Amino acid sequence: MAGYVHVYTGDGKGKTTAALGLALRAAGAGWRVFIGQFAKAAASSELRALARLSDLITICQFGRPGWIGPKPSPEDMVAAREGLERCRQAIASGQYQLVILDEVILGPVLRLFSLEELLALIDGRPDGVELVLTGRYAPPAILERADVVTEMRELKHYYRQGVLARTGIEM
């Protein structure tokens, strides 16, 4: 089985949702799935739902509570680098057919780790591992390595009218 690289990027809503939909489809086909969430450390509805599928889907968060500002803390950088290494291990393990790196594209943007480190992870994946990367601002080098690129574009969002993230929809 060939494994492909998918990228879900853009400023619109739906990148993580699309990746989780693919995880659900893969689990339904009996695939084992690993999801690494970068820059996230909060309980969410998707974590509760995926816990019910723990025999097929493993999910780990590699972040700390709170927003990472323009200058990440040393603790943020350590959490992200440890996450990147844990994802590299999952990819190489032969245990997972689908590996999702949620918000990993923001790692180089926020200087949590280098673009070169992320590209090495992509380039080092074995055949047969489907890889999904999500996050805004995907650089050309990542887009060039991808087999599928989907850009989510915001045309309209109720957030602009002051509606905050809602349980069951955004969290």
Side-chain angles (χ1 to χ4, degrees), residues 19-35 45-59 96:
L20 293 175
L22 190 58
L24 183 62
R25 179 175 288 153
W31 291 18
R32 301 239 340 143
V33 179
F34 181 88
I35 302 171
S45 298
E46 66 251 28
L47 289 178
R48 287 187 291 280
L50 292 173
R52 297 177 184 176
L53 297 170
S54 62
D55 57 326
L56 291 171
I57 299 177
T58 300
I59 186 164
Y96 303 100

Side-chain angles (χ1 to χ4, degrees), residues 113-130:
F113 47 79
S114 72
L115 176 59
E116 290 72 26
E117 289 173 287
L118 182 53
L119 295 174
L121 183 143
I122 295 167
D123 294 342
R125 101 191 135 75
D127 291 338
V129 175
E130 202 84 8

Side-chain angles (χ1 to χ4, degrees), residues 61-145:
Q61 290 187 322
F62 309 116
R64 298 177 334 109
W67 178 250
I68 298 173
K71 186 171 184 206
S73 72
E75 294 84 7
D76 291 324
M77 295 175 77
V78 166
R81 287 180 182 281
E82 288 174 355
L84 204 60
E85 180 55 32
R86 176 65 179 94
C87 291
R88 187 181 342 275
Q89 292 169 3
I91 290 166
S93 72
Q95 185 177 358
Y96 303 100
Q97 291 82 37
L98 174 62
V99 176
I100 296 171
L101 309 180
D102 186 35
E103 299 294 357
V104 75
I105 293 171
L106 285 176
V109 173
L110 296 173
R111 296 180 309 281
L112 296 168
F113 47 79
S114 72
L115 176 59
E116 290 72 26
E117 289 173 287
L118 182 53
L119 295 174
L121 183 143
I122 295 167
D123 294 342
R125 101 191 135 75
D127 291 338
V129 175
E130 202 84 8
L131 184 61
V132 176
L133 296 87
T134 75
R136 295 172 184 242
Y137 317 119
I142 289 178
L143 299 178
E144 289 167 10
R145 283 168 169 79

